[in-house]
Amino acid sequence: EVDVVINLPAFLSGEFSHVRNELASVVRAVRMKAINTGRGQVVVKAIIETCYLTTKMKRLACKICEQAGVDFVKTSTGCGPKGATVQDVELLRDCLDERISIKASGGIRTLHDVELMINAGAVRVGTSAGVAIMKDFLA
């Protein structure tokens, strides 16, 4: 699997075609390398860093990711000032074609957080608290 952060400076500068073309190039390169090495399908996840975007920009980022052919849209790297929110996951799910999955990342620390994200539409979560969450799940 390959995670790639969209070109946020270009996106915020309005260079949407550049962002789409760059992301599509990554998707093509990953897929060609996988085919040529006999590895099969490689999943590409585009990280859009929702904490820096308005609702309108998040919708546009989803459209760009769709056009580029990614398999997942991921809320954040977890390095920004804010991680995944339920509202963002719901928005992404509403904006994206059903073939594109969502990974919620950043700030997910509890089993309750995981449940909220999955109920909002995420099929994966990224967390640094995996051990504590699994202990809580098994308790």
Side-chain angles (χ1 to χ4, degrees):
E1 296 189 4
V2 174
D3 288 21
V4 59
V5 181
I6 68 165
N7 186 332
L8 200 55
F11 184 83
L12 294 173
S13 296
E15 299 174 46
F16 306 122
S17 294
H18 176 75
V19 174
R20 183 188 62 243
N21 293 341
E22 188 175 69
L23 190 54
S25 293
V26 170
V27 170
R28 275 192 308 276
V30 166
R31 300 253 161 83
M32 288 305 295
K33 180 73 172 175
I35 289 168
N36 290 335
T37 58
R39 291 198 165 97
Q41 180 70 17
V42 174
V43 173
V44 179
K45 296 176 287 208
I47 305 167
I48 63 172
E49 291 291 15
T50 54
C51 65
Y52 296 112
L53 306 177
T54 65
T55 298
K56 185 176 180 180
M57 292 171 133
K58 292 170 196 173
R59 290 180 186 280
L60 181 56
C62 285
K63 182 62 71 184
I64 288 170
C65 290
E66 256 182 34
Q67 292 170 349
V70 303
D71 303 295
F72 273 80
V73 171
K74 195 170 160 183
T75 57
S76 64
T77 58
C79 296
K82 191 174 176 191
T85 68
V86 169
Q87 294 79 15
D88 281 341
V89 172
E90 289 173 340
L91 176 68
L92 299 181
R93 183 66 281 149
D94 286 342
C95 292
L96 291 165
D97 184 274
E98 63 186 30
R99 70 178 174 78
I100 300 174
S101 299
I102 298 165
K103 181 174 179 181
S105 274
I108 301 167
R109 305 261 187 271
T110 67
L111 178 58
H112 181 69
D113 292 340
V114 171
E115 291 168 341
L116 290 172
M117 295 302 166
I118 291 171
N119 288 336
V123 298
R124 291 188 186 176
V125 295
T127 181
S128 58
V131 172
I133 290 169
M134 289 308 297
K135 284 181 180 177
D136 193 21
F137 176 74
L138 296 171

